[in-house]
Amino acid sequence: MARRDSASRVFVSTLAAWAVGFLIFFPILWMVLTSFKTELEAFSTPPSFLFFHWTTENYATVQERSDYVAHAMNSLIIAGGSTLIALLIAVPAAWSMAFAPTKRTKDVLLWMLSTKMLPPVGVLVPIYLIFRDFGLLDSRTGLILVLCLGNLPIVVWMLFTYFKEIPKDILEAARMDGATVGKELIYVLTPMAVPGIASTLLLNFILAWNEAFWTLNLTTSEAAPLTVFIASYSSPEGLFWAKLSAASTLAIAPILVLGWFSQRQLVRGLTFGAVK
C-alpha cells in the first residue's frame, strides 16, 4: 500500500512539475511560433497554434533592418565584462565577510541588499548627468560600469552564502602550511567553490544580458545591446508582432543555448552544500 501511495505521489508530482514547466515555457514557445507567422496571422482571431503558413521572412527582414551581430556583440561584451569585474570585486569581499566577520558584517550585507530595493528610475537623472559629463553615454564602458555596480550586491550575497558552507578548518590548515591570503583565495577557496561561482556567474550574466532599463536610457546606437535591438520594433505606427517575436527570439537564443549547456553546473551550484 505504501509503495502504491509513493508511486502515485511521484506520478502526481511529476505531472504537476511538467504542467508548471509548460506554463512557464509557453510564452516563449508562443513567441517562437509567432516569429514564423505573417503579420496578418500574428493578429488573427482566434489565434492559430501550429496550423499556419510557416515563413522565415521576419528573420530576413530583421537582419536587413538591424545589425543583429553588432547588437549581440555589444550584449556579450557588456554582460561578460560587468560579470567578470563584479566577480573580481565580490570574491574577496565575500571571503572577508564569510571568514573574517565583524559586528557590522550583517549590517553591511543588509545595506548592500537594500540598494536593490530602490527603483532604478529614482537615480536615473543623476546617473545620466554623470555619464554625460564624463563622456560615458552610449559607451560599452559606461554600461559595464553601471551593470556591474547594479548586480554587485547579488553577486556578493550569493558568494557569501556559498563560502559560508566551506569549513574554516580547511583554510586554517592552508594558513598553517604557509599560504598567503592571495594563495588561499586562488588555490584553496576558489577551487572548492567552483560550482557556486559558476552558478553566480551564469545568473549574473543572464541579469546583465536581460537588463533593459539602463541600456534603453543610456545608449542610442554605438553601444546598443540586444534589448535596444528588440525595442526598435516598437514604433508609433504600432507593434509588428511577427517581426518583434523574431527579434526577441534572436535575442534570447544565445542565452538559451548557454543555459542549456550550463544547466548541470547551475543545478550543482544552486544545491552547493558543505564539504563532508
Side-chain angles (χ1 to χ4, degrees):
M1 189 69 180
R3 290 183 178 179
R4 291 182 179 179
D5 292 342
S6 178
S8 61
R9 285 184 181 181
V10 170
F11 176 77
V12 171
S13 300
T14 303
L15 189 63
W18 276 100
V20 172
F22 180 77
L23 184 64
I24 295 173
F25 180 72
F26 183 77
I28 299 176
L29 176 62
W30 187 257
M31 177 189 69
V32 174
L33 292 175
T34 304
S35 69
F36 291 100
K37 297 179 181 180
T38 62
E39 290 294 345
L40 183 61
E41 289 174 325
F43 279 95
S44 65
T45 304
S48 55
F49 187 67
L50 292 175
F51 302 101
F52 56 87
H53 176 67
W54 291 69
T55 178
T56 58
E57 180 183 354
N58 297 314
Y59 290 94
T61 303
V62 166
Q63 185 58 33
E64 290 176 2
R65 175 178 168 179
S66 307
D67 191 349
Y68 168 77
V69 176
H71 288 85
M73 284 301 300
N74 284 337
S75 287
L76 181 62
I77 294 171
I78 293 168
S82 63
T83 300
L84 291 177
I85 295 174
L87 186 67
L88 291 175
I89 298 172
V91 167
W95 171 85
S96 64
M97 293 180 182
F99 300 108
T102 64
K103 294 181 179 180
R104 296 293 182 182
T105 296
K106 291 185 178 180
D107 296 334
V108 172
L109 284 169
L110 183 59
W111 170 77
M112 293 180 65
L113 189 61
S114 69
T115 61
K116 298 295 294 180
M117 302 176 187
L118 175 70
V121 69
V123 292
L124 174 60
V125 173
I127 288 182
Y128 182 89
L129 295 177
I130 292 172
F131 272 51
R132 184 197 62 183
D133 295 341
F134 284 90
L136 294 176
L137 283 177
D138 199 18
S139 69
R140 294 172 178 173
T141 303
L143 283 178
I144 288 174
L145 180 63
V146 73
L147 294 185
C148 170
L149 296 177
N151 293 329
L152 189 58
I154 298 177
V155 181
V156 173
W157 261 90
M158 290 185 67
L159 291 180
F160 170 77
T161 303
Y162 296 134
F163 289 171
K164 286 289 287 184
E165 298 293 333
I166 297 176
K168 296 182 179 180
D169 296 340
I170 297 178
L171 300 183
E172 292 176 357
R175 294 169 192 168
M176 292 179 65
D177 289 338
T180 61
V181 174
K183 290 183 178 179
E184 179 184 326
L185 281 172
I186 298 173
Y187 298 111
V188 181
L189 182 65
T190 303
M192 295 181 63
V194 164
I197 293 175
S199 61
T200 302
L201 273 174
L202 180 60
L203 290 175
N204 187 65
F205 186 86
I206 293 173
L207 288 174
W209 184 278
N210 292 332
E211 176 59 46
F213 179 81
W214 294 114
T215 55
L216 291 174
N217 286 285
L218 299 178
T219 61
T220 53
S221 58
E222 293 298 326
L226 287 171
T227 47
V228 178
F229 168 76
I230 296 173
S232 65
Y233 288 88
S234 174
S235 62
E237 291 80 11
L239 290 174
F240 297 93
W241 289 110
K243 296 179 180 60
L244 180 62
S245 297
S248 300
T249 301
L250 289 172
I252 69 170
I255 207 69
L256 283 178
V257 173
L258 176 64
W260 177 265
F261 285 104
S262 306
Q263 59 179 329
R264 180 177 298 180
Q265 193 69 29
L266 177 60
V267 172
R268 186 183 173 195
L270 293 176
T271 56
F272 182 69
V275 178
K276 298 184 179 179

